[in-house]
Amino acid sequence: MSRSYTNLLDLASGNFPVMRKEVRERKGMPRVMTVPGKISELDDDQAHADEVSQMLLDKFECVPAFLPPDILKKYYNGFCKKQLWPLFHYKLPFTADREGRFDRSLWEAYVYVNKLFSQKVIEVIMPDDDYVWIHDYHLMVLPTFLRRRFNRLRMGFFLHSPFPSSEINRTLPVREEILKALLNSDIIGFHTFDYARHFLSCCCRLLGLEYQSKRGYIGLEYYGRTVGIKIMPIGIHMGQIGSVMKLPDKEKKVQELKQQFEGKIVLLGVDDMDIFNGINLKILAMEQMLKRHPKWKGRAVLVQIADPPRGRGMDEEDIHAEMRESCRRINEEYGHPGYEPIILIDRSVPVSERIASYTTAECVVVTAVRDGLNLIPYEYIFCRQGITDAESGGDVEGPRKSMLVVSEFIGCSPSLSGAIKINPWNVEATAEAMNEAISMAEQEKQLRHEKHYLYVSTHDVAYWSRSFLQDLERACADHFRRRCWGIGLGFGFRVVALDSNFRKLSIDEIVSAYCKAENRAILLDYDGTVMPQNSINKAPTKEVISILNTLCSDANNKVFIVSGRGKDSLGNWISPCRRLGIASEHGYFLRWLPNEEWEVCGQNPDFGWMQIAEPVMKLYTEATDGSYIETKDSALVWHHQDADPGFGSSQAKEMLDHLESVLANETVAVKSGQFIVEVKPQGVSRGTVAEKIFITTAENGKKADFVLCIGDDRSDEDMFEVIDNALSRNILSPRASVFACTVGQKPSKAKYYLDDTSEVTLMLESLAEASSPVPSDEDT
């Protein structure tokens, strides 16, 4: 039986639909093997590899990826066990001998092995039919290799270890590469919400991503794809354990243990010999219990099974020596002939013996200081329940009971509400918990056992597998209905998934429509559209001014800058453009020509609400380092892009609720955006501006037959929505050519996109060249 339960080859037996025969036959064993080396050296090895591969395929439907020994050492014993495993368990490499410090060559071996796995998957996969489920930290960059080959591949990932907090994870030099690789999955699974929360926090702090919860599902928006976050602890394979419980060897061992510990109360520990399992803390807690409660001397026994580690971990020899010394000292002090308070079994224990130990133990104690899940408590509960009446042919035993003392730092702790939770570092508190567990009334033990068994029996490994695959199917439901393409190099690669009607704006197409039109409306956002978002100097360049002047000089054009910026600063920057219209503060102020007065588009000119909102914003600004308030004529905006991402986001949500509460009776709208919270008059939006421009031109007998609208953020979506409905509302010419365009490849109500501001400038320049400017009075 697999101790880790991460090998699902036989765990899934009987729990999944049988693979279609024709699919299996089409997938046969590929004859091309991915074993690096010289051909002359591989003749014998290749024949053996082929033989082993065919046997695995026939018997287990398994295809192996053979790893060269030198690569395997660097990959598994190196990067996995010396760098990722300690880091994910909160151990930083502060040792003077450089043990565990980041080594680029080990990372390269890790990437190479992930690539070998991807090649094996590619050899056998049917991308239109198959689902790929990747397991654990050993293959965290595999999603990128597969996604690069198959953009629409349906792929999930499950992490069976803890995911550390962002403060720990960000110490890894390749942190962003791993995060971006995981985000190439469609769904990412974790055992507990804590691990998922840490992952989401890393995505926020390192990649600037925000997550949303919709109908109980958590999702990260990533370049048009929603990456689902699945939170569900794995369960045990009850069928496998049950089959072992029926073996004669197990029954024989149970009788031996009952005879050995007759008249004793057995507390059991089952752990791998690992630095993070806190075995010595458990032994010291047993010592404290005997010291504080002498009544257990001669009666209570701690049986500690310490299995050899599965890989070469850290400080193993020191841990083993410390453990043996603690056992020797405590047994000498508290033992006597015929009684040893601690029995250490530091060898590999057969499954039947372990199951027998569960059956005879009054309590299981888990003191891991950090563990991804730890299925020992689940196994113990199931074994204490025993074989059911139907299976055993009649149950002669009395009510079942079991007790658990578990560390709060293990993944299964949240699902065991009846267990006694402990901080394993607090040896005295652990000792008291052990005393409470074995002193508890029998009826209470039975009630706790029944509660735990109900959970364990209904949340087994099959339930976990089905639930994950169902969520994966749901997350991938629209894969083949969307347009997908890959962008980026190396681990910056990601897939952009967009609506099938969304496409890049063709300059030739728009210039052709522009030349045919007689009444044109051109609406342009400012920041991120005609000016780069990260530009320090926000004044437009001479090139942009020249292009805008040329477009404005065409008598058939109405050109507007529609921006959230204040009217004064925007008016100064755009002053060289002689016929350019401006809508500032998202359309609250509108000016058709530079020499005209500003027109107020808001319905309510009363700004008394600012005296209510500003003190609230100042309160949050003082408490949030890096935030500031921008005061406009019609709005107040709180910016937090320079604050701590997590704290700034939390403060923004709290501020939003606070402002909505105090401004409930005011005619204002409180909205959150990307790193902002804004309060502005109701009924003011860029969509309202677009509508007003179209209606005014239509009333003047010049319905627009060409519309170009470009923007880059959420506030521009209002314009795109109005433009999409304008034809049906008869405020545009029936033959109008409409081009709603967003900047950047991202989900939008616009039907077109341009990659960046340089492409916007190039497109506007092409329109300017096709224009027919009329000389103004100043020009003549």
Side-chain angles (χ1 to χ4, degrees):
M1 182 171 57
S2 169
R3 286 178 293 184
S4 67
Y5 291 92
T6 56
N7 182 345
L8 299 180
L9 293 175
D10 54 349
L11 298 189
S13 176
N15 297 322
F16 296 97
V18 177
M19 187 185 297
R20 296 196 315 267
K21 182 179 180 182
E22 64 271 23
V23 173
R24 288 201 306 269
E25 290 173 351
R26 287 204 304 268
K27 281 191 176 180
M29 182 64 203
R31 304 306 300 170
V32 179
M33 307 304 296
T34 53
V35 182
K38 296 180 181 178
I39 294 177
S40 59
E41 298 173 350
L42 292 174
D43 288 343
D44 294 338
D45 290 342
Q46 187 67 63
H48 180 63
D50 284 347
E51 182 181 348
V52 170
S53 298
Q54 194 62 50
M55 183 272 292
L56 289 173
L57 184 68
D58 295 340
K59 191 172 182 179
F60 299 106
E61 292 187 342
C62 168
V63 177
F66 294 102
L67 307 183
D70 56 331
I71 294 295
L72 175 62
K73 182 179 179 181
K74 287 185 175 182
Y75 158 72
Y76 187 75
N77 294 326
F79 194 76
C80 289
K81 283 299 181 183
K82 295 292 179 67
Q83 295 186 359
L84 283 182
W85 179 257
L87 188 75
F88 279 19
H89 289 73
Y90 289 74
K91 183 176 176 60
L92 294 175
F94 283 141
T95 54
D97 60 358
R98 297 172 58 88
E99 178 76 9
R101 291 189 186 177
F102 181 75
D103 184 333
R104 180 68 58 176
S105 67
L106 302 184
W107 161 248
E108 290 170 354
Y110 181 83
V111 172
Y112 178 69
V113 168
N114 277 249
K115 186 176 182 179
L116 287 181
F117 269 83
S118 73
Q119 291 170 350
K120 271 298 164 191
V121 174
I122 290 168
E123 287 178 6
V124 299
I125 195 172
M126 298 180 66
D128 291 342
D129 297 326
D130 292 342
Y131 288 81
V132 176
W133 191 0
I134 303 168
H135 289 268
D136 223 1
Y137 65 97
H138 311 83
L139 298 171
M140 287 197 296
V141 300
L142 177 56
T144 288
F145 288 109
L146 296 178
R147 186 68 70 188
R148 184 184 292 276
R149 182 65 180 267
F150 305 112
N151 286 350
R152 290 185 175 85
L153 184 64
R154 293 169 290 192
M155 176 167 48
F157 180 92
F158 200 96
L159 184 67
H160 294 269
S161 77
F163 194 92
S165 72
S166 61
E167 291 303 309
I168 295 293
N169 186 71
R170 68 199 303 181
T171 63
L172 186 65
V174 290
R175 59 199 187 175
E176 293 184 19
E177 288 88 334
I178 289 177
L179 284 179
K180 290 177 180 178
L182 289 175
L183 289 170
N184 275 319
S185 304
D186 293 299
I187 185 169
I188 305 172
F190 300 91
H191 286 306
T192 72
F193 175 68
D194 272 352
Y195 304 157
R197 178 169 54 85
H198 294 158
F199 175 77
L200 294 169
S201 177
C202 286
C203 290
C204 174
R205 290 174 175 272
L206 299 177
L207 304 179
L209 302 178
E210 294 288 342
Y211 72 92
Q212 292 182 335
S213 181
K214 295 180 181 178
R215 297 183 180 181
Y217 294 99
I218 300 174
L220 276 166
E221 291 298 324
Y222 190 61
Y223 292 95
R225 296 170 50 246
T226 299
V227 180
I229 303 298
K230 174 74 173 176
I231 302 167
M232 176 172 282
I234 195 174
I236 59 173
H237 193 304
M238 295 191 296
Q240 279 190 333
I241 299 177
S243 64
V244 176
M245 293 174 69
K246 298 175 186 177
L247 295 175
D249 289 350
K250 177 259 181 183
E251 290 300 326
K252 181 180 178 182
K253 188 63 180 178
V254 167
Q255 295 306 318
E256 290 177 2
L257 292 174
K258 285 183 176 180
Q259 184 177 357
Q260 180 181 355
F261 298 113
E262 186 177 3
K264 307 288 193 306
I265 295 175
V266 177
L267 296 95
L268 178 66
V270 180
D271 305 274
D272 289 340
M273 187 80 71
D274 191 292
I275 187 174
F276 303 110
N277 279 327
I279 299 176
N280 201 59
L281 294 173
K282 187 188 309 180
I283 294 171
L284 295 177
M286 181 67 180
E287 179 184 24
Q288 283 294 317
M289 188 183 80
L290 296 174
K291 183 183 296 184
R292 293 186 174 195
H293 304 279
K295 63 180 180 179
W296 298 119
K297 185 177 179 181
R299 296 175 57 200
V301 177
L302 172 64
V303 177
Q304 176 60 55
I305 297 174
D307 285 330
R310 283 171 256 175
R312 291 177 54 192
M314 303 177 66
D315 308 319
E316 290 168 16
E317 294 182 2
D318 293 341
I319 297 169
H320 196 212
E322 180 185 28
M323 188 170 58
R324 292 186 69 85
E325 173 57 27
S326 296
C327 291
R328 183 198 60 77
R329 177 177 54 79
I330 296 169
N331 284 337
E332 285 183 359
E333 183 173 353
Y334 294 96
H336 54 71
Y339 169 70
E340 286 187 335
I342 300 176
I343 297 176
L344 178 63
I345 304 174
D346 52 351
R347 57 175 171 79
S348 183
V349 174
V351 176
S352 58
E353 182 178 341
R354 194 169 87 182
I355 299 299
S357 299
Y358 289 145
T359 305
T360 55
E362 186 74 14
C363 175
V364 155
V365 185
V366 181
T367 54
V369 296
R370 187 72 58 179
D371 204 348
L373 181 64
N374 198 314
L375 293 169
I376 300 302
Y378 291 175
E379 294 177 358
Y380 168 64
I381 292 163
F382 184 72
C383 291
R384 290 289 283 180
Q385 179 69 15
I387 304 298
T388 63
D389 295 352
E391 293 172 321
S392 62
D395 187 6
V396 296
E397 296 183 19
R400 272 62 169 192
K401 60 181 181 177
S402 64
M403 281 304 300
L404 289 167
V405 175
V406 299
S407 165
E408 63 191 51
F409 300 116
I410 65 175
C412 67
S413 177
S415 62
L416 298 171
S417 56
I420 301 175
K421 312 288 177 64
I422 50 102
N423 172 3
W425 299 102
N426 189 335
V427 173
E428 291 78 11
T430 303
E432 291 304 317
M434 293 163 66
N435 173 65
E436 180 186 355
I438 58 179
S439 303
M440 192 172 289
E442 297 298 300
Q443 186 176 5
E444 178 69 16
K445 292 179 183 179
Q446 293 166 15
L447 291 174
R448 293 185 182 225
H449 170 80
E450 290 171 4
K451 185 176 186 180
H452 289 158
Y453 180 72
L454 178 63
Y455 176 86
V456 171
S457 61
T458 56
H459 291 73
D460 62 354
V461 68
Y463 175 87
W464 168 79
S465 302
R466 286 194 301 268
S467 178
F468 187 92
L469 289 177
Q470 286 169 3
D471 279 4
L472 181 58
E473 289 176 357
R474 179 187 57 81
C476 302
D478 64 346
H479 265 30
F480 295 96
R481 295 197 300 265
R482 309 185 74 186
R483 295 174 62 242
C484 300
W485 62 93
I487 59 175
L489 301 173
F491 286 109
F493 176 84
R494 65 271 187 197
V495 167
V496 177
L498 300 168
D499 186 86
S500 57
N501 295 322
F502 190 71
R503 57 194 176 92
K504 190 164 187 176
L505 184 58
S506 164
I507 292 180
D508 291 340
E509 180 184 355
I510 194 172
V511 168
S512 174
Y514 181 85
C515 293
K516 295 175 184 177
E518 296 178 358
N519 297 301
R520 312 180 187 107
I522 300 174
L523 284 63
L524 306 172
D525 179 32
Y526 190 73
D527 293 284
T529 301
V530 296
M531 285 298 297
Q533 192 71 258
N534 57 356
S535 174
I536 297 176
N537 182 6
K538 294 299 183 181
T541 62
K542 291 182 179 179
E543 179 188 12
V544 171
I545 293 292
S546 174
I547 292 171
L548 292 177
N549 268 328
T550 303
L551 292 172
C552 292
S553 298
D554 191 317
N556 294 334
N557 293 348
K558 290 290 184 183
V559 185
F560 283 85
I561 291 292
V562 184
S563 172
R565 286 193 172 272
K567 60 183 176 64
D568 295 331
S569 56
L570 198 59
N572 290 333
W573 290 333
I574 307 296
S575 58
C577 299
R578 295 180 293 276
R579 296 180 179 177
L580 181 66
I582 301 176
S584 67
E585 301 188 18
H586 300 297
Y588 188 85
F589 296 104
L590 178 64
R591 189 172 72 183
W592 292 79
L593 292 172
N595 57 350
E596 294 183 357
E597 294 295 323
W598 288 98
E599 178 182 340
V600 177
C601 299
Q603 298 175 357
N604 189 353
D606 181 14
F607 292 99
W609 56 266
M610 284 192 173
Q611 297 176 7
I612 302 173
E614 190 169 21
V616 175
M617 287 186 161
K618 284 184 176 178
L619 183 69
Y620 286 89
T621 303
E622 291 171 359
T624 312
D625 187 36
S627 66
Y628 67 93
I629 302 171
E630 178 188 2
T631 303
K632 301 178 181 179
D633 290 337
S634 68
L636 292 174
V637 186
W638 187 72
H639 297 262
H640 62 92
Q641 62 263 32
D642 296 327
D644 176 86
F647 184 54
S649 177
S650 173
Q651 291 287 78
K653 291 176 183 176
E654 178 67 26
M655 179 193 287
L656 189 70
D657 291 340
H658 195 161
L659 288 172
E660 285 179 342
S661 176
V662 299
L663 297 172
N665 297 323
E666 303 293 331
T667 55
V668 295
V670 185
K671 293 187 176 181
S672 62
Q674 189 171 12
F675 301 117
I676 66 165
V677 174
E678 183 173 23
V679 186
K680 62 181 182 180
Q682 286 182 354
V684 174
S685 73
R686 301 191 189 195
T688 306
V689 172
E691 185 177 22
K692 184 178 181 66
I693 292 171
F694 297 151
I695 291 175
T696 303
T697 55
E699 290 174 349
N700 293 333
K702 294 184 176 181
K703 284 187 178 179
D705 56 0
F706 174 93
V707 176
L708 171 63
C709 179
I710 312 179
D712 76 307
D713 61 23
R714 278 188 215 169
S715 56
D716 297 305
E717 297 296 315
D718 294 331
M719 285 197 294
F720 300 149
E721 186 174 7
V722 167
I723 289 170
D724 191 44
N725 299 325
L727 278 172
S728 61
R729 295 180 57 199
N730 199 32
I731 56 177
L732 295 180
S733 169
R735 63 178 188 277
S737 299
V738 178
F739 298 90
C741 178
T742 186
V743 181
Q745 301 175 28
K746 59 182 183 291
S748 172
K749 293 174 183 175
K751 293 184 178 179
Y752 299 91
Y753 74 90
L754 291 171
D755 287 330
D756 51 36
T757 55
S758 62
E759 288 198 354
V760 173
T761 303
L762 180 63
M763 186 272 298
L764 293 176
E765 186 178 20
S766 299
L767 297 184
E769 291 174 355
S771 300
S772 303
V774 177
S776 65
D777 294 338
E778 295 178 14
D779 294 333
T780 57

